[in-house]
Amino acid sequence: MIETSFAGLELRNPVIAASSGQTDSTDKIIALEKAGIGAVVLKSLFEEQLDAQSEQLLGSSDYPEARDFLQNTVRAHEIEKYLTLVKEARRAVAVPVIASINCYDSGEWVKFASELENAGASALELNIQKIDTSAEYTPGATEQLHVEILQQIKKVVHLPVIVKISRNLSNLVSVIDQLKSAGAAAVVLFNRPWQPDIDIHTLRMVAADPFTSATDLSDTLRWIGIVSGSVNLPIAASTGVHKPEDLIKAILVGASAVELCTTLYRNGNKIIGEMLNSLTRWLEKQNFASVTEARGQLNYRRIADPAGYERLQFIRQTREICKS
Ligand SMILES: Cc1cc2nc3c(=O)[nH]c(=O)nc-3n(C[C@H](O)[C@H](O)[C@H](O)COP(=O)(O)O)c2cc1C
């Protein structure tokens, strides 16, 4: 009843552990499987992470040979560690293990994708993020970059490729349609980027709270509802899915699965069982035979009043708030 398919993978249920520190070791992945998880996305390998570690080791050395040597050694070490995690996790659990790469261009790392495939990754999730700050930026270039990275990756792998998208990206429906044509197996809406904050005492930029709040769910639901009503591609909800009801809402607007992060940190793995029990009870109560039957019942195409998805201004509420 609660089985689902996502990105060409058959999942025992729609609850996936999102890429984070909760998925960076085989032991944690075994614990997630025992708690009932449907699939796991491994902690990402970051382009920046590799570069930053090389820079730290290099210190102030300016010798180009030393720089190249260290960069290659550190890179090889990180890659080896990651491939070992993929292999061990795949051996240890029956649920799909999805590898993850955080990237912002289609450079050197693209070759690494085929090594992930050889190591046995069930799928690959690309977390693509780029903020352009240039006044000469050509509108649409960042959207195009998403498609180009996917096209490069698809040249080297056969496994399903999932694209995790940031909320900062514009023209979501058309980009996701292009990603589908370029061979994406699914998309994740949304990634939560690193959040800046300002320390008014030290006058520096610092990291804001990395966790999401309940109000973040609304935008996730809006865009899944709109995209699932327009593009026939599996979607996983991420950002603000914290409670059992949130999983059900995500399915109703059209998600095939949800990816959990904040709620796993806050509530532990027991939230997985609570979500699954609540989903089963709700499906029975509503007389839905399966997740597939319930999926998208309230998406942009099927809801009685689709204007709700487009509404941005809240005139009436503003008047009421001003009166009180
Ligand atoms: C501590 C932490 C680490 C994360 N690491 C990654 C990562 O390595 N790769 C990635 O794609 N997303 C990463 N994320 C983002 C999450 O996978 C998720 O998309 C985001 O937190 C929104 O989901 P949530 O509302 O369930 O927290 C991280 C988030 C947190 C809070």
Side-chain angles (χ1 to χ4, degrees), residues 18-20 43-44 46 127 164 191-192 212 238-240 261-262:
S19 177
S20 82
K43 171 82 186 146
S44 302
F46 291 75
N127 178 353
K164 189 178 190 186
N191 179 51
R192 165 84 156 184
T212 57
S238 168
T239 297
C261 175
T262 292

